[in-house]
Amino acid sequence: MTGGNNWKERLGVVYSTNPNYEYENEHSAEEATLEPSKQKLIVTIDRRNRGGKQVTLISGFVGTQDDLAALGKALKVKCGVGGSAKDGEITIQGDQRDKVTALLKEMGYNAKRGN
């Protein structure tokens, strides 16, 4: 499938009788990543919907998905645990609130420990 005739991109679009109609993709423009000192990150613990396991949740990141993933990877490596970075949040396995807050401040981020 090449060209502009990819039907999967137009899934859910109603037929138009206008012969000059051009379908436009909605590409959400990612926000530019703020510099670390302007980020207001909140480090909390979350136990909901995780089968009784605790995760450290870092929220409030403003920036691109790639930069979020890079920060998440750096934190996971330094804590020596797994986790994920998606939807503007980073999850780190276990209760790592103090360690993550210290690491973020060391990196120049404006981080605050929540609950």
Side-chain angles (χ1 to χ4, degrees):
M1 296 208 163
T2 57
N5 200 14
N6 188 349
W7 64 271
K8 288 182 181 179
E9 289 179 7
R10 296 190 310 260
L11 206 58
V13 174
V14 180
Y15 178 78
S16 173
T17 56
N18 181 353
N20 299 325
Y21 179 77
E22 282 293 320
Y23 179 74
E24 296 174 15
N25 288 334
E26 290 182 23
H27 292 295
S28 59
E30 283 190 290
E31 280 190 66
T33 303
L34 291 177
E35 59 187 67
S37 61
K38 291 186 179 174
Q39 298 273 8
K40 289 186 174 89
L41 302 178
I42 300 168
V43 182
T44 56
I45 190 144
D46 189 21
R47 294 179 188 92
R48 278 181 265 130
N49 302 327
R50 305 200 190 272
K53 306 274 190 239
Q54 297 177 342
V55 295
T56 304
L57 189 65
I58 299 104
S59 56
F61 185 84
V62 177
T64 64
Q65 187 64 33
D66 291 339
D67 292 338
L68 178 73
L71 178 61
K73 181 163 176 58
L75 291 173
K76 290 186 295 186
V77 168
K78 292 196 181 204
C79 291
V81 294
S84 69
K86 60 185 172 200
D87 301 329
E89 294 181 333
I90 300 170
T91 57
I92 306 290
Q93 293 175 348
D95 185 359
Q96 309 276 346
R97 290 175 290 184
D98 295 328
K99 191 173 190 178
V100 167
T101 304
L103 286 169
L104 287 169
K105 286 184 178 181
E106 203 175 277
M107 293 175 178
Y109 285 92
N110 184 6
K112 183 172 82 171
R113 183 174 181 226
N115 61 354

